[in-house]
Amino acid sequence: MSKKQDLTDDIKNAAKNSDISTLMGMLSDTDKEVFASLLKDKKARDELLRSPEARSLFEKLLGGR
């Protein structure tokens, strides 16, 4: 299995198990800061979560649930 596939599997497993600490550990320091700022800003967070890209990602990670 490739490193990319291993990473994809790790992300899927963390998402399925609601393991945010593993997901956060995969981010760079800069990305962690951006993510944290999004979580603090309700309007930005809601806008992001409603985007077609986010919905598509959730469907992929959660197996179409």
Side-chain angles (χ1 to χ4, degrees):
M1 196 176 306
S2 71
K3 281 187 177 184
K4 183 176 180 181
Q5 184 61 46
D6 287 342
L7 179 59
T8 300
D9 290 343
D10 289 346
I11 292 169
K12 284 181 181 179
N13 289 333
K16 285 179 184 176
N17 295 320
S18 301
D19 185 359
I20 192 72
S21 62
T22 296
L23 293 172
M24 291 297 286
M26 294 178 186
L27 299 175
S28 70
D29 289 342
T30 302
D31 289 340
K32 286 178 190 174
E33 289 176 20
V34 170
F35 189 73
S37 70
L38 278 172
L39 292 177
K40 291 177 186 176
D41 183 345
K42 182 177 177 6
K43 183 178 177 183
R45 181 184 60 236
D46 291 347
E47 189 175 311
L48 173 68
L49 292 174
R50 288 188 188 110
S51 72
E53 295 85 358
R55 290 180 183 267
S56 176
L57 177 61
F58 290 137
E59 286 177 13
K60 289 176 185 175
L61 290 173
L62 300 175
R65 289 191 275 158

